[in-house]
Amino acid sequence: MTASVFSSTTAPAPIGLLLDVDGPVASPVTRTVRPEIIDALIALAGAGWPVIFNTGRSDEFIRAEVLKPMLAAGIPAGMTFHAICEKGATWFSFTSEGATEVHVDETLALPQEFGDEVRRLVEEQFADHMFFDETKRAMVSIEQRVDVGNQDYLDRQGPFDAAVLDIMRHFDMGVCRLAHHLPDSDDSVDYRVDPTIISTDIESVRVGKDLGAERALRLIDGDIPHTWRTVGDSRTDYAMADYLHEHGYSVAHVDVRPADGVPEKPYPVLIEGELTNDDAGAAFLLRCAETAVSRA
């Protein structure tokens, strides 16, 4: 593990950027993106770096918290950004003209009746700490309320997740949560309960940051860079770099919350000293922008 991002042998731009949103781009506290990150992302795209968001967030969140401030800052004509949302289940692109149509992989969507039961659970038992995310098109998600302390939320997350597992058993939905597996009546596990520091996602086991990386490569119009930087704040975000490494790309992963534990990987893992979350994301992206612009 190293704090160094570039070396004298680093190839010139373009380098591909595959970015988780919560943590490295958007603050996990305010859920907003600071202006200097917006400016850095535009500068990087202007230098020819593909900038692709790979997030569990919904397309609506990306439009509100990423696209809107980028449009306000001024996206130059001819510049395209891509957003892989809900861990690969939905995706769209955007330019100075706004967003394209959102694509949804309906085979990854959870049953509506199940989502209705989770919404009812939140409203009746957990609304004082969390809210049901109405913007998701494929997965079912709840999120910490911004007026609630994180530790208070985490104290309620466990009981919520346990109640969700009970609902999934009722619907005969085989599910895993971390190392805990509850197969359905056909001995299958098709769904995952994925807790994060501010949310719980209930999703198909087929979604993930690796699926997002696969979709990202398909969205690039033109030559695909050989060199990539992936950026995330959780252990599941390493799947982006895993996918790229396994498919022959040169990649390093930037971990903005390494205190959660850095796994052994066959590629470099980079950190930003003592900085975490969007402080680390801002430092990394600003340095990338300075490097990219100087070499453009």
Side-chain angles (χ1 to χ4, degrees):
M1 184 170 63
T2 175
S4 174
V5 176
F6 297 104
S7 70
S8 60
T9 60
T10 301
I15 294 174
L17 285 176
L18 201 51
L19 307 171
D20 179 34
V21 174
D22 277 324
V25 175
S27 165
V29 177
T30 66
R31 324 288 164 82
T32 59
V33 184
R34 58 178 72 181
E36 58 264 39
I37 289 180
I38 294 294
D39 293 341
L41 294 172
I42 292 174
L44 285 162
W49 291 36
V51 176
I52 306 174
F53 304 98
N54 187 14
T55 179
R57 285 289 189 177
S58 68
D59 60 279
E60 184 171 316
F61 181 91
I62 299 301
R63 284 197 300 269
E65 302 300 340
V66 179
L67 170 57
K68 185 176 179 180
M70 291 181 84
L71 288 172
I75 299 176
M79 189 177 292
T80 300
F81 298 87
H82 304 293
I84 316 296
C85 305
E86 301 189 45
K87 303 177 187 176
T90 69
W91 62 96
F92 71 103
S93 303
F94 60 90
T95 67
S96 60
E97 301 298 317
T100 65
E101 176 186 359
V102 178
H103 300 275
V104 182
D105 187 338
E106 297 290 352
T107 68
L108 301 174
L110 272 69
Q112 180 176 338
E113 297 82 2
F114 168 74
D116 292 341
E117 284 297 318
V118 175
R119 181 188 295 105
R120 186 176 300 110
L121 172 68
V122 172
E123 292 172 350
E124 294 178 355
Q125 300 184 37
F126 296 93
D128 53 344
H129 288 80
M130 59 190 72
F131 64 90
F132 184 89
D133 188 346
E134 300 286 355
T135 69
K136 295 295 180 72
R137 299 173 185 262
M139 65 172 59
V140 173
S141 298
I142 62 89
E143 186 173 334
Q144 174 191 330
R145 286 172 40 164
V146 295
D147 60 338
V148 170
N150 186 242
Q151 188 55 56
D152 290 337
Y153 165 75
L154 293 173
D155 289 343
R156 293 294 285 157
Q157 185 185 50
F160 169 79
D161 289 0
V164 165
L165 294 178
D166 287 339
I167 293 174
M168 300 184 83
R169 279 194 291 265
H170 173 75
F171 278 89
D172 194 27
M173 299 169 66
V175 58
C176 61
R177 181 188 185 274
L178 304 178
H180 187 46
H181 289 68
L182 294 170
D184 63 15
S185 56
D186 291 327
D187 202 32
S188 297
V189 174
D190 297 321
Y191 302 97
R192 177 192 305 120
V193 173
D194 182 20
T196 77
I197 62 168
I198 61 170
S199 67
T200 291
D201 294 328
I202 305 115
E203 60 202 26
S204 166
V205 295
R206 293 164 52 205
V207 304
K209 293 304 180 75
D210 49 349
L211 176 61
E214 178 183 350
R215 294 207 194 281
L217 295 179
R218 294 177 183 174
L219 287 174
I220 294 175
D221 185 16
D223 294 336
I224 298 175
H226 177 69
T227 302
W228 287 81
R229 297 290 181 265
T230 60
V231 188
D233 70 333
S234 69
R235 302 322 89 188
T236 56
D237 288 321
Y238 280 82
M240 297 186 279
D242 292 344
Y243 181 88
L244 291 168
H245 176 78
E246 290 165 3
H247 287 78
Y249 295 93
S250 174
V251 63
H253 182 71
V254 183
D255 192 333
V256 303
R257 204 167 69 235
D260 284 359
V262 176
E264 288 291 330
K265 292 295 180 179
Y267 46 79
V269 176
L270 314 176
I271 63 171
E272 287 292 331
E274 299 298 318
L275 299 177
T276 61
N277 295 320
D278 56 325
D279 290 331
F284 171 74
L285 291 169
L286 287 167
R287 188 162 59 257
C288 284
E290 181 179 356
T291 300
V293 170
S294 68
R295 296 181 178 184

